[in-house]
Every structure is written in structure tokens, then in C-alpha cells.
Amino acid sequence: VDTTLKQWYQRRVRGNMFNPASEQDPNWADEIRSDVLGECTNLGGVLHIYVDPHDPNGCVYVKAVNTAVATSCVNSLQGRWFSGKMIKASYMSPVDYGRKFEGTNNLTQRLDR
């Protein structure tokens, strides 16, 4: 796998995890972040994560530590049910991820749970 493909797989977006219009708990975004971070940490680690509280598609953006971890996270979570919704996992290009989250291209420190 060439470097470009590896970089592609390191950034991903997951959707359909929540509906911001129907969330009632004031800490719902933090709880989702914690759940996703925990799952992906168990699979190898995360460098960046963001729950978009305004996205009607319920997106959680994750930058995994490497290609293998990103692939494991996608494979583990794709099609699983979360709060009555089926998770849809997909990859995002590094260019698009870097534009959306400035400063994430050179991250090396893994996030703690």
C-alpha cells in the first residue's frame, strides 16, 4: 500500500450515530465521543476525534493512528447499532480532513480515554 493510500485510510468519518434534534441529555456529545474513543482505543488508538453536534447526519470524525487501526475501526463499527441507529462508517481524504480540522495533519500523540 503506498503512502497516499495509507494517509487516506487514516482519516475517516462515521455517520448516523445521533440526531442532534432529538438528543436531550446536555452531555450527549461528550458521551458519544467517549464511547467512540473507547472503542477505537481498544482497536489501536486515535489521534483526533470530533462529534459534530449540529450535523443532521450524526457524524463523528476520527483520525486513527495508522491504516490498520482505521480499517479495524471501520470494520468493527460499520453496520453496528448505536442508540437505535445503524452506524455508517466511511473514509475521508486527508486533504478534506485537514481542511475541516486545521492542524490535524501532523498529530502524533494518542488521545486518552
Side-chain angles (χ1 to χ4, degrees):
V1 177
D2 69 27
T3 304
T4 304
L5 189 56
K6 286 181 183 176
Q7 288 178 349
W8 177 270
Y9 284 122
Q10 287 179 6
R11 288 119 175 130
R12 66 189 180 85
V13 58
R14 297 190 317 138
N16 204 36
M17 294 223 31
F18 57 87
N19 179 347
S22 65
E23 297 297 336
Q24 308 227 344
D25 185 326
N27 298 317
W28 67 267
D30 291 335
E31 291 173 9
I32 290 173
R33 182 187 186 280
S34 178
D35 288 347
V36 173
L37 182 58
E39 181 71 25
C40 293
T41 296
N42 288 340
L43 296 169
V46 170
L47 299 173
H48 179 261
I49 185 169
Y50 179 71
V51 176
D52 189 338
H54 307 291
D55 188 321
N57 295 314
C59 287
V60 177
Y61 298 86
V62 178
K63 180 179 179 182
V65 296
N66 60 40
T67 304
V69 173
T71 301
S72 293
C73 290
V74 169
N75 291 341
S76 173
L77 298 167
Q78 172 66 26
R80 281 176 62 179
W81 291 89
F82 184 85
S83 295
K85 297 184 176 304
M86 184 183 288
I87 297 172
K88 298 176 184 174
S90 62
Y91 298 101
M92 185 177 197
S93 79
V95 171
D96 290 342
Y97 200 96
R99 282 187 192 134
K100 187 160 188 74
F101 303 105
E102 191 172 321
T104 59
N105 287 334
N106 297 316
L107 294 176
T108 58
Q109 183 69 38
R110 292 177 193 224
L111 299 177
D112 293 327
R113 290 182 197 206

